[in-house]
Amino acid sequence: MRRRTIATTTALFTCVAAMALTACSGSGSGSDSGSGSDSGSGPGASNGPSAARTPAAATPATAKGPYADLTGGQIVTNSFRATRQAGSLHLKAKIADAKEGPSTMDLSMDHKGDCAGTMGQGKDTIRIIKTGKVMYLKTRDSGNKWVKTDTTSADSKELASSCDLNSFLDSFKGDDTDTEAKKGATTTVGGRTAIALTESDGAEHYTIDVATTGKPYLLKMVITGGDSPGTMEFSQFDQPIHAVAPPKSAVLTG
């Protein structure tokens, strides 16, 4: 696979989560950790790392399998290209970075910069809704209320950038050079048929599941070994993200 792209993606994800929690002064949400984006529903939605990748019939991708006329590297290249062209998507991820600790994201975002969901670093988690130039945050210290903030301040700009789908997907660009990824078995991810592709880079081992129907979206990436093992699941491509301001009664005033 495009090793530089994958390394950049996992590093960017970890930095985004760390930056989000720093911008909120290390505040965390309490028991209210649900996503504001209906992340468990909709076509292609994932139901968690343990459930999302359920092998179908263990049928190796042969000359008669999905993308029979393409190499594994070409499939990966096409998948990254299709994914970064999506107008919106939902990302559910957990990366165990050796330096920063575990980072999590359960976030829907679009190319306009709007988003809704949760981000976490270590034991700290925040809920976030960004619509236009206004952002709402819910943390442990906000008393189950949303805090409204303008995205023009220095700290808010940093946090708002974590909703930028364009920046996140830029990490998938690379040079579009085909790689040595190997075709694996067909599988099912969030109800969608996919083909698994694998490659190793030193201590790091990658498995990428690519949709075999419709556009060749990246549905799941699993990294084992190395400094940043974890899982990223992608779903709800080009669907509305439901980034809607909370009712005024739920927003702190003054």
Side-chain angles (χ1 to χ4, degrees), residues 41 45 50 56 71-72 82 87 97 165-166 192 215 220 224 234 242:
S41 62
S50 62
T71 66
D97 186 75
L165 180 60
N166 295 311
R192 298 186 64 171
K215 295 182 180 179
K220 189 173 183 180
T224 58
F234 301 83
H242 308 299

Side-chain angles (χ1 to χ4, degrees), residues 83-94:
T83 300
R84 68 176 183 256
Q85 291 174 350
S88 63
L89 57 77
H90 185 83
L91 170 64
K92 186 172 184 179
K94 183 174 183 179

Side-chain angles (χ1 to χ4, degrees), residues 112-133:
K112 296 185 298 182
D114 291 347
C115 71
T118 65
M119 288 182 280
Q121 177 79 35
K123 296 182 179 179
D124 293 328
T125 303
I126 62 169
R127 291 189 65 184
I128 179 171
I129 299 172
K130 179 181 176 292
T131 174
K133 295 183 179 180

Side-chain angles (χ1 to χ4, degrees), residues 45 107 120 137 146 149 154-155 217 231 252:
L107 193 69
L137 306 172
W146 292 92
T149 180
D155 286 345
Y217 287 129
T231 301
L252 285 174

Side-chain angles (χ1 to χ4, degrees), residues 95-146:
I95 300 294
D97 186 75
K99 294 182 179 179
E100 300 291 344
S103 301
T104 60
M105 186 175 285
D106 193 347
L107 193 69
S108 292
M109 42 189 169
D110 65 19
H111 280 300
K112 296 185 298 182
D114 291 347
C115 71
T118 65
M119 288 182 280
Q121 177 79 35
K123 296 182 179 179
D124 293 328
T125 303
I126 62 169
R127 291 189 65 184
I128 179 171
I129 299 172
K130 179 181 176 292
T131 174
K133 295 183 179 180
V134 179
M135 192 161 49
Y136 300 87
L137 306 172
K138 184 182 285 190
T139 72
R140 179 187 305 150
D141 296 336
S142 64
N144 206 34
K145 291 272 192 175
W146 292 92

Side-chain angles (χ1 to χ4, degrees), residues 14-25:
T14 302
C15 290
V16 162
M19 179 178 65
L21 273 295
T22 300
C24 291
S25 301

